[in-house]
Amino acid sequence: GHCPSVSRRHVVVVCQSAGAVEQPALANLKLFEYIDESGVIPYSEEELGKVGVYAVYDSEKNPMYLGKSRDVGNSLRMHLARMPDHCYFFKVYNFARPSRTLFDDMIKAWTEELGSSPPGNADPEVKRRWENAIDIRDFDFTDEEAKELEAVNPGSEAKIYKKICRRIQKDVEAKLASRKLTERMSFDPKLKDKGLLDIQSKKMPTPESL
């Protein structure tokens, strides 16, 4: 039957098919630095699992986004490239028997625990930027780029899109370098024709959908 999520000081009670199961409250999960001293994202599947729900925090440790993923490590890498100014810490919880319902119940319980949805969940436009590839149309074009796009025949923008992507990619890479990231971040070249930037999954030839 129906089992509502209940927040407590130390645990969050969520539903599972076998009945109510207690899962840790967000406040009690370990807070990881997004980039560790060796310059990599300290995500270990052996320690933290592959499938789970997670929270991303900014430099002031304010919650920015709550997510769910079948590959949390890769999702965290993608968020760092897409939203580098907002990814400074994270928390994660792995389910032994994951299900969409369990994920959604957990995020709902964490949202109730926080008192409101983080900006990356509350605002549809901001949520899009967390969950999708960087879109060059979200940025201001230089006068030269704007003129080139205006002059090009419709359907022939790929070359200019690639050029703009390279400029924005350099900005992203500069931000990550300033954070002393040493982990390799490879952007998918095929997406640049469409004016999109996203890093390739560490283990797959194309980015995974979230």
Side-chain angles (χ1 to χ4, degrees):
H2 179 68
C3 170
S5 301
V6 180
S7 295
R8 295 179 185 167
R9 193 165 68 92
H10 295 294
V11 297
V12 175
V13 180
V14 297
C15 299
Q16 202 162 24
S17 55
V21 176
E22 291 191 344
Q23 311 288 6
L26 187 58
N28 294 327
L29 292 174
K30 180 178 177 180
L31 186 72
F32 292 89
E33 287 199 12
Y34 220 100
I35 302 171
D36 69 12
E37 290 178 356
S38 61
V40 300
I41 300 171
Y43 192 89
S44 162
E45 279 186 19
E46 292 74 26
E47 181 188 352
L48 300 172
K50 185 172 183 178
V51 182
V53 291
Y54 57 92
V56 178
Y57 297 79
D58 67 7
S59 59
E60 302 296 316
K61 299 181 181 174
N62 297 310
M64 291 285 104
Y65 177 77
L66 300 177
K68 55 189 176 183
S69 176
R70 57 191 169 90
D71 192 335
V72 175
N74 270 323
S75 293
L76 290 173
R77 292 174 76 249
M78 288 180 169
H79 291 319
L80 181 59
R82 295 166 182 168
M83 304 291 277
D85 295 333
H86 302 292
C87 298
Y88 279 81
F89 300 92
F90 69 87
K91 293 185 177 188
V92 62
Y93 186 74
N94 159 256
F95 290 107
R97 291 184 295 144
S99 73
R100 187 181 292 260
T101 302
L102 205 51
F103 281 0
D104 291 343
D105 284 348
M106 197 80 211
I107 287 178
K108 183 182 177 188
W110 281 359
T111 301
E112 289 172 0
E113 181 186 344
L114 292 171
S116 62
S117 291
N121 302 88
D123 184 322
E125 187 60 28
V126 179
K127 188 172 196 248
R128 176 181 65 81
R129 296 180 73 164
W130 277 94
E131 297 180 356
N132 294 280
I134 297 168
D135 191 327
I136 62 168
R137 288 155 283 260
D138 289 331
F139 295 80
D140 292 327
F141 296 149
T142 65
D143 290 342
E144 181 188 352
E145 289 164 351
K147 285 176 184 173
E148 287 179 344
L149 283 170
E150 203 173 306
V152 78
N153 292 326
S156 304
E157 300 94 348
K159 188 176 178 183
I160 303 164
Y161 283 167
K162 278 185 182 177
K163 180 181 169 185
I164 299 170
C165 278
R166 283 194 293 270
R167 172 176 65 81
I168 294 170
Q169 181 178 328
K170 281 183 181 177
D171 290 343
V172 172
E173 289 172 339
K175 284 184 179 181
L176 297 179
S178 73
R179 299 272 302 278
K180 297 184 168 51
L181 182 78
T182 58
E183 188 169 326
R184 179 175 165 79
M185 294 283 204
S186 299
F187 286 84
D188 187 339
K190 294 176 185 174
L191 290 176
K192 294 178 184 178
D193 288 357
K194 302 170 185 172
L196 301 173
L197 266 178
D198 218 3
I199 62 164
Q200 292 179 312
S201 162
K202 218 170 184 179
K203 297 164 189 167
M204 296 180 65
T206 55
E208 291 189 352
S209 59
L210 298 181

